[in-house]
Amino acid sequence: MKGLYRGGAILATLTVAGGLLAGCGTGTNNASNGTAGTNATTNSTNTAAGSGAGGVVNIVWAAPPITHTGLRQTLISKFNAEHPNIHVTLQDQNSNTDTNRASLTTTIGGGAATPDVYMGDVVWPAQFASNQLAMPLNGVVPSNFFNRFSKGLVQGATYQGKVYAAPFFADSGFLFYRKDLLKQAGLPVPTSWQQVQQEAETLQKKGLVQYGFVWQGASYEGLTCDFTEYLTDAGGQVLNSSGKAAIDSPQAIKALTFMRGLITSGVTPKSVINFQEPQSEDVFVQGNAAFLRNWSYAWSDSQNNKSSKVVGKVGVTVLPTFGGASGYSTIGGWDLYINPHTQHTQAAVTFIDWMTNTQAQTILAKQFSEIPTNAQVANDPSVQAVSPIFGLVSKTHYVSRPDQNPNYPAISKALYTNVNAALTGSVSVSAALQQAQTQINQAASGGGL
Amino acid sequence: MEAQVPSLPPVQARKSLQASDRRSGYGLLSPAILVIAVVTLFPIVYSVFMSLNDIQLTTSGYKMSFIGLKNYGVLVNSGVFWHSVWFTVYYAIVTVIVELVLGMLIALAIQNVQRLQGVSIVVMLIPWSLITVISAQMWGYIYNGVYGVLNYIVTSLHIVSQPVTWLGTPVSAVISMMVADIWKTTPFVVIILVSGLQMIPKDYYEAAYIDGANKWEVFWNITFPLLRGSISLAALFRILQAFGVFDLPFVLTNGGPGNSTESLAMLGETSLFQNLHFGIGASIAVSTVILVLAVCLIFLSAFRSMVEGDAA
């Protein structure tokens, strides 16, 4: 009797535990079915609104907020209205580029069919191509598709002869300056880096402004962008033509010494070594700095009455140089990629075709001040009149980051951590560059951390 | 005094467990063991397996090729890896020691305050209950070199003339981060120690005072030995957590300046999710597990011999 009782108890526990495990199992199944929660909902709307009502194809576009968050929805509504057979839904992504990438690689690497189209950084093509996270566009888009883009942009989205993304909007570094302060002190708009430093010092000494020049010096991707501009202007490069590190060079020493000098001379606040774009822009729009290096959106932010104290007092120009004709600007911006697991390739292609065509690109430029990638729109005088930034685009010398290597993230990290260390003064400029040289070579061969 | 060291009555194991009782005991345990195996052991074993492979993402899933210890070779040859091992170890050791000492002092204070005991525990719990990402962001504002509150305070009090960039040099960034960590997790230690203190029978103290012991002797001979279970529990939890520190440096410094505050967990995240080097990422995870186990074992044996040394 006692034995029976005990046996029953064990059986009961096992059943409960078994149920628990089974419950776990179903839970995970559900989760993986809809890896991006939206998947499940998309599928259900698919059947509800879709196949029943004349074959509407539902696709999902994953994109982080673009300065003005209304941009994504504006374009989607317009597209949906013009394409009754395709319905695009927005999947909101994190505005931190690295977090965005982590979520996309997890989702797509796990085999999810959505998002069908995603917006990704211009430095991703090589890495995403080599990890098969993006669909090569050659063959699925019309042969003349790539002719519409401004020169050099398609090259940036190419890896081993295939194009993996459609350039969506471009960006690059500009020099923003306080025209009221320059006028007050009788100074010209600077064209050389030395001039920026001298004029900033003058303005600070006269007590017109607290800080001279702010930029992005934190240990992150943005510092790679800033450093690349000084480096290229000084005549140096990160990787040589055979893909080996070339950063331990006199040119790199010149570039980094100048950056460090901005801090030691007091032109740039010491805390710049923690500044990403928002912090540097904040100091400038609060009226506490004379010069700012930032991306194009800083123009509209500085002209926004709600957040800016310097509305109407800001000028913008191309980045200065150490002595050449003009400086270099790092190419930034965003591309549209297609998920290789998508079940709606045709609809996805229709979507990116429309998004990079004249209508959408004009909306992008005129209503939201983003630099269009479509050459026809970029050269349209009525578009160029919208923002002083657009007039500078043709005068800018562009430089790409060494993103043709699939290990670019590790290469960039080796660069920005060491440059950042030199900016803090905890290691010397030459020691930091030697260290970067070693680490970049490890990274380029796949052994970077 | 030594002869009177009280000890809790040991829980006597029933010696006459019948074989059938033991069998049914295992039977009742087996479902729980199964669940643990599935949710804990499998991922650990799988991580070890992953760390021995080169893993490529393909459109049809992951392609693994066995490469032995090559991933570990990459780690051993990398200065970045050793730097983050070193940072993680001293960060964990310093914060855990400070938290234990501070936690003990606060716990004793709370224990001795008769009124407001509940209130002080609730107040203590506020930092602990904040989500780290949010409290880290808050500390980021406090430490900000341009408009930070801390700079406002120290410049207003004329302690320094120029604002300090707290997160701007390797040493000050590490210290600033430790302060934020200690602020947040000391309450956890306090809670565990307070509950440990409340379990010590009051008569031991009465007996000791009647025998003429002073407070210091009472602490070393009664409180501390009887609290060792709580202390090692708090320490183990804290060591485990401190070795996995991710959110605080991620938000506060992103590993900077340079890579001076890059923890092992951050390095693992970068390898796995930014560089997409899944094998290397797994080997960092496995190395962290080994390191944590080693530190926990060293701590436990050191702590045991220390306590026994005191008690003898």
Side-chain angles (χ1 to χ4, degrees):
Chain A
M1 184 61 204
K2 199 184 164 198
L4 191 70
Y5 182 69
R6 190 186 296 133
I10 293 176
L11 195 70
T13 342
L14 276 175
T15 323
V16 172
L20 199 71
L21 274 181
C24 277
T26 359
T28 10
N29 274 346
N30 280 345
S32 61
N33 276 347
T35 314
T38 44
N39 200 355
T41 43
T42 327
N43 286 342
S44 59
T45 42
N46 219 342
T47 34
S51 42
V56 175
V57 176
N58 284 279
I59 60 171
V60 174
W61 177 38
I66 310 164
T67 324
H68 315 263
T69 42
L71 167 55
R72 297 171 300 174
Q73 213 52 63
T74 306
L75 290 175
I76 288 177
S77 309
K78 201 106 190 157
F79 176 85
N80 284 343
E82 285 181 24
H83 297 80
N85 295 328
I86 304 175
H87 185 85
V88 177
T89 319
L90 177 69
Q91 178 181 313
D92 200 16
Q93 293 291 115
N94 196 294
S95 60
N96 178 314
T97 308
D98 287 344
T99 313
N100 183 14
R101 165 165 54 196
S103 106
L104 288 170
T105 53
T106 313
T107 313
I108 299 169
T114 57
D116 302 274
V117 178
Y118 58 92
M119 188 174 113
D121 199 294
V122 291
V123 295
W124 292 358
Q127 189 191 25
F128 274 50
S130 89
N131 287 289
Q132 304 194 6
L133 294 165
M135 180 187 282
L137 299 182
N138 312 70
V140 296
V141 294
S143 54
N144 61 354
F145 177 80
F146 298 114
N147 300 342
R148 69 185 65 173
F149 298 106
S150 301
K151 219 176 113 204
L153 294 176
V154 174
Q155 184 54 35
T158 306
Y159 178 66
Q160 296 188 342
K162 285 184 183 160
V163 186
Y164 284 86
F168 180 40
F169 61 88
D171 213 338
S172 67
F174 294 97
L175 183 73
F176 297 87
Y177 58 90
R178 287 283 299 281
K179 56 183 182 191
D180 58 325
L181 298 182
L182 291 185
K183 197 176 169 192
Q184 218 173 323
L187 295 168
V189 175
T191 55
S192 78
W193 286 118
Q194 296 86 337
Q195 211 180 345
V196 170
Q197 186 168 5
Q198 284 157 9
E199 293 189 4
E201 269 176 339
T202 311
L203 293 173
Q204 283 174 289
K205 273 188 196 135
K206 289 192 171 179
L208 292 172
V209 70
Q210 192 180 2
Y211 299 117
F213 178 32
V214 286
W215 32 280
Q216 295 80 44
S219 189
Y220 83 121
E221 181 64 28
L223 179 55
T224 297
C225 299
D226 283 34
F227 176 71
T228 305
E229 288 162 352
Y230 294 99
L231 176 71
T232 315
D233 186 35
Q237 50 186 353
V238 179
L239 297 181
N240 62 21
S241 51
S242 55
K244 289 263 183 274
I247 198 74
D248 190 9
S249 66
Q251 293 84 356
I253 289 179
K254 179 181 177 184
L256 189 47
T257 307
F258 178 77
M259 291 172 86
R260 170 74 184 146
L262 288 171
I263 300 173
T264 50
S265 65
V267 162
T268 294
K270 279 192 197 125
S271 46
V272 79
I273 56 111
N274 295 127
F275 279 8
Q276 300 193 4
E277 286 88 355
Q279 289 83 13
S280 52
E281 189 189 83
D282 200 46
V283 173
F284 185 76
V285 298
Q286 292 304 313
N288 294 328
F291 299 100
L292 164 73
R293 182 268 175 216
N294 211 327
W295 306 93
S296 61
Y297 61 79
W299 172 256
S300 25
D301 288 352
S302 72
Q303 299 308 307
N304 180 346
N305 269 315
K306 278 184 206 147
S307 54
S308 169
K309 291 183 181 164
V310 292
V311 179
K313 297 175 181 172
V314 178
V316 56
T317 183
V318 291
L319 288 175
T321 169
F322 284 119
S326 85
Y328 282 85
S329 252
T330 300
I331 298 179
W334 293 81
D335 292 349
L336 295 172
Y337 297 73
I338 298 181
N339 178 350
H341 304 292
T342 179
Q343 283 156 12
H344 308 293
T345 309
Q346 210 39 60
V349 168
T350 310
F351 181 58
I352 64 169
D353 180 40
W354 187 86
M355 293 283 268
T356 52
N357 230 321
T358 47
Q359 187 189 4
Q361 292 278 308
T362 308
I363 296 175
L364 196 78
K366 282 194 171 168
Q367 292 182 25
F368 298 96
S369 313
E370 296 293 354
I371 301 173
T373 51
N374 187 304
Q376 197 189 325
V377 177
N379 296 329
D380 178 348
S382 75
V383 167
Q384 292 198 341
V386 171
S387 157
I389 294 279
F390 293 168
L392 296 171
V393 170
S394 58
K395 296 178 195 153
T396 307
H397 283 181
Y398 292 108
V399 54
S400 291
R401 287 162 272 173
D403 51 17
Q404 288 296 305
N405 187 310
N407 294 307
Y408 171 71
I411 295 175
S412 177
K413 189 186 162 211
L415 186 61
Y416 66 67
T417 49
N418 288 301
V419 169
N420 178 265
L423 292 179
T424 66
S426 59
V427 287
S428 71
V429 165
S430 55
L433 291 171
Q434 277 164 19
Q435 178 92 322
Q437 173 91 1
T438 316
Q439 290 179 9
I440 289 171
N441 276 332
Q442 283 173 346
S445 58
L449 287 177
Chain B
M1 188 65 213
E2 277 78 7
Q4 290 147 10
V5 170
S7 61
L8 288 174
V11 181
Q12 286 284 330
R14 252 203 308 154
K15 279 179 189 142
S16 56
L17 261 185
Q18 284 170 7
S20 64
D21 278 334
R22 208 174 293 137
R23 255 204 316 280
S24 63
Y26 288 128
L28 288 165
L29 268 181
S30 60
I33 290 174
L34 193 69
V35 171
I36 290 174
V38 169
V39 301
T40 311
L41 283 181
F42 174 72
I44 292 177
V45 172
Y46 194 68
S47 302
V48 175
F49 173 69
M50 277 175 71
S51 73
L52 302 174
N53 279 275
D54 179 49
I55 303 167
Q56 292 290 324
L57 264 181
T58 69
T59 37
S60 51
Y62 294 82
K63 201 182 85 199
M64 298 204 183
S65 30
F66 187 80
I67 53 165
L69 293 173
K70 240 182 189 164
N71 288 327
Y72 293 93
V74 169
L75 298 189
V76 172
N77 289 322
S78 160
V80 175
F81 173 73
W82 287 114
H83 180 276
S84 96
V85 169
W86 171 231
F87 166 73
T88 309
V89 169
Y90 75 68
Y91 176 83
I93 290 178
V94 172
T95 53
V96 172
I97 289 178
V98 174
E99 282 159 17
L100 284 178
V101 172
L102 213 59
M104 174 67 93
L105 292 175
I106 297 172
L108 288 171
I110 288 182
Q111 175 75 355
N112 286 319
V113 176
Q114 294 305 319
R115 292 164 155 206
L116 297 175
Q117 211 176 66
V119 178
S120 39
I121 290 179
V122 170
V123 172
M124 285 294 304
L125 269 178
I126 293 174
W128 172 246
S129 61
L130 279 178
I131 299 164
T132 313
V133 171
I134 292 169
S135 64
Q137 193 69 53
M138 200 181 81
W139 280 98
Y141 290 130
I142 294 175
Y143 290 137
N144 187 292
V146 177
Y147 50 81
V149 180
L150 187 57
N151 271 324
Y152 176 76
I153 296 171
V154 293
T155 46
S156 309
L157 293 176
H158 300 289
I159 298 170
V160 292
S161 56
Q162 284 293 314
V164 181
T165 48
W166 304 101
L167 302 172
T169 66
V171 176
S172 65
V174 170
I175 294 174
S176 303
M177 195 177 297
M178 285 175 171
V179 169
D181 190 297
I182 290 163
W183 172 83
K184 183 174 163 51
T185 42
T186 304
F188 170 76
V189 178
V190 173
I191 299 297
I192 291 191
L193 295 186
V194 164
S195 62
L197 283 172
Q198 283 168 351
M199 276 163 33
I200 302 175
K202 294 276 175 292
D203 359 346
Y204 293 170
Y205 291 105
E206 283 166 18
Y209 286 124
I210 289 169
D211 285 347
N214 64 30
K215 287 200 166 176
W216 188 244
E217 285 168 332
V218 168
F219 175 77
W220 276 115
N221 293 296
I222 298 178
T223 312
F224 191 66
L226 289 179
L227 212 52
R228 63 178 182 236
S230 305
I231 295 174
S232 45
L233 182 74
L236 281 185
F237 271 119
R238 285 301 309 133
I239 292 173
L240 291 175
Q241 247 180 352
F243 269 90
V245 66
F246 176 81
D247 31 19
L248 196 55
F250 184 77
V251 174
L252 216 48
T253 59
N254 196 25
N259 58 352
S260 56
T261 57
E262 188 173 53
S263 67
L264 278 169
M266 282 186 75
L267 200 60
E269 193 266 354
T270 309
S271 287
L272 285 167
F273 296 107
Q274 307 305 334
N275 300 348
L276 306 183
H277 293 157
F278 301 98
I280 294 177
S283 62
I284 294 173
V286 172
S287 313
T288 313
V289 170
I290 295 170
L291 194 66
V292 174
L293 277 181
V295 171
C296 284
L297 289 176
I298 292 169
F299 166 78
L300 279 182
S301 62
F303 188 71
R304 192 171 300 136
S305 64
M306 186 178 100
V307 171
E308 279 162 5
D310 279 332

